Amino acid sequence: MKIIVPIDFSENSIKALEFAISMADKKHGKITLVHVIEVVYDFASQAAIAVDSMFKDGEKLLKEITEKYKASNVAIDYLILEGNTSISVARIADEINATLIVMGTQGASGIKKALIGTTTVNLIKEANCPVLVVPAKANVAEIRKVTLALEFANHEEKFIDWIVDMSRRWELNLEILHVQTVKGFKEHLSILGIEGFLQKKYPDLQVRIHTFYAESASQGLDLYLQEHDNMILVMCHEHKNLWDQIVQKSQSIQMAYHTHIPLLIMN
């Protein structure tokens, strides 16, 4: 399992690193810290000196961090790059065939603000692997389950396989969440269908399926979060309706009480 952690030496990025260490396979896991230097070239004559200083400072701090977490028994290396953070991190993830990117939020404001942040949104768009957004208040010791929000679409099968594998590695319970905006026989059959699919493909897997009826996908998700806690919430980037409601609309999910819930975006 290869995990990338973008790091800017802030408290939130260190939190993400600690989260990644807890999720990494101790025998075969590897974490790569990626520190990206973004420079605005106002004065070309000063740019080279400034970049050189940033590289030296960054390498010093990265060495200190890898030494500090050596006792975790997870292999940790690092890269320092110059460029755009989201593009650079996504490119490195492709080059090393990363399993997961774990990224801290810019503040303790939860999923709503985290996704509004430009770097986070752009990284999710650029990355070809899943991105785990870790809020500042997240506590890995309290996490008990992984909740996968599904729309019952064709593209979701590969995500189910990935999450089943990860939930087993992380030794977390798996739950499925489906929000229905209409009631009917067709929707009922869909629920029975996913239950049958999971039982047939993973006969030894215990999965709870939650169905919430709501006027919108975001309202249904908010209802679920009011009743459930201690989880990693998983969404697919291709869930256009739910994604748009969370990222773009002012009436999107009110995350004030959910600032500790990590959000895993499947790409």
Side-chain angles (χ1 to χ4, degrees):
M1 185 176 188
K2 298 177 181 178
I3 301 177
I4 283 184
V5 179
I7 193 157
D8 59 5
F9 311 115
S10 65
E11 184 178 343
N12 291 327
S13 65
I14 297 298
K15 180 84 172 183
L17 169 58
E18 293 175 349
F19 208 92
I21 288 172
S22 70
M23 302 174 76
D25 186 326
K26 296 297 188 293
K27 291 183 179 179
H28 307 292
K30 181 180 179 181
I31 294 174
T32 297
L33 307 178
V34 179
H35 177 59
V36 181
I37 297 172
E38 296 194 33
V39 180
V40 177
Y41 291 97
D42 293 329
F43 301 98
S45 60
Q46 299 176 9
I49 297 174
V51 171
D52 183 62
S53 176
M54 290 178 185
F55 266 86
K56 288 179 179 178
D57 291 344
E59 184 157 14
K60 178 178 179 292
L61 291 171
L62 286 165
K63 286 181 178 178
E64 291 175 357
I65 290 172
T66 53
E67 184 66 26
K68 178 180 178 180
Y69 292 99
K70 185 185 295 184
S72 67
N73 294 322
V74 176
I76 302 176
D77 63 7
Y78 62 82
L79 292 169
I80 306 179
L81 307 169
E82 181 185 351
N84 175 275
T85 298
S86 56
I87 293 174
S88 298
V89 172
R91 176 174 59 81
I92 294 299
D94 283 342
E95 289 179 0
I96 71 170
N97 194 26
T99 310
L100 179 67
I101 297 171
V102 180
M103 184 174 189
T105 62
Q106 296 303 310
S109 51
I111 292 172
K112 187 178 178 182
K113 285 283 185 68
L115 292 178
I116 294 174
T118 303
T119 301
T120 304
V121 171
N122 288 342
L123 178 56
I124 291 168
K125 291 178 179 178
E126 295 286 344
N128 292 314
C129 67
V131 178
L132 176 61
V133 181
V134 181
K137 294 183 180 180
N139 186 344
V140 66
E142 296 179 353
I143 292 177
R144 299 288 181 267
K145 61 188 178 184
V146 178
T147 298
L148 174 61
L150 290 180
E151 291 186 336
F152 300 161
N154 288 332
H155 67 267
E156 294 175 329
E157 182 175 0
K158 62 181 180 180
F159 297 144
I160 294 174
D161 292 337
W162 194 92
I163 286 298
V164 168
D165 180 45
M166 288 299 108
S167 65
R168 285 170 169 168
R169 293 191 189 197
W170 298 334
E171 298 181 349
L172 296 174
N173 296 325
L174 177 61
E175 297 191 351
I176 302 293
L177 169 64
H178 178 60
V179 179
Q180 292 185 207
T181 54
V182 294
K183 292 184 179 181
F185 183 59
K186 180 180 178 181
E187 288 70 28
H188 180 64
L189 287 180
S190 296
I191 299 296
L192 294 176
I194 191 65
E195 289 177 346
F197 171 82
L198 293 171
Q199 289 173 2
K200 183 176 180 180
K201 193 164 188 178
Y202 309 103
D204 60 332
L205 185 68
Q206 298 295 319
V207 183
R208 290 191 63 186
I209 299 177
H210 300 270
T211 302
F212 279 78
Y213 297 96
E215 293 183 1
S216 67
S218 65
Q219 288 179 6
L221 180 54
D222 197 32
L223 288 171
Y224 175 82
L225 292 175
Q226 290 176 25
E227 298 180 11
H228 297 266
D229 212 340
N230 303 329
M231 76 185 83
I232 296 174
L233 177 63
V234 186
M235 292 170 48
C236 301
H237 191 205
E238 294 184 46
H239 286 181
K240 299 302 182 185
N241 293 335
L242 184 53
W243 189 260
D244 288 346
Q245 289 176 48
I246 292 176
V247 177
Q248 297 176 4
K249 296 184 179 179
S250 60
Q251 67 266 32
S252 62
I253 302 172
Q254 299 302 309
M255 299 303 302
Y257 300 103
H258 313 302
T259 58
H260 57 294
I261 297 176
L263 175 64
L264 177 58
I265 307 299
M266 306 292 293
N267 289 311

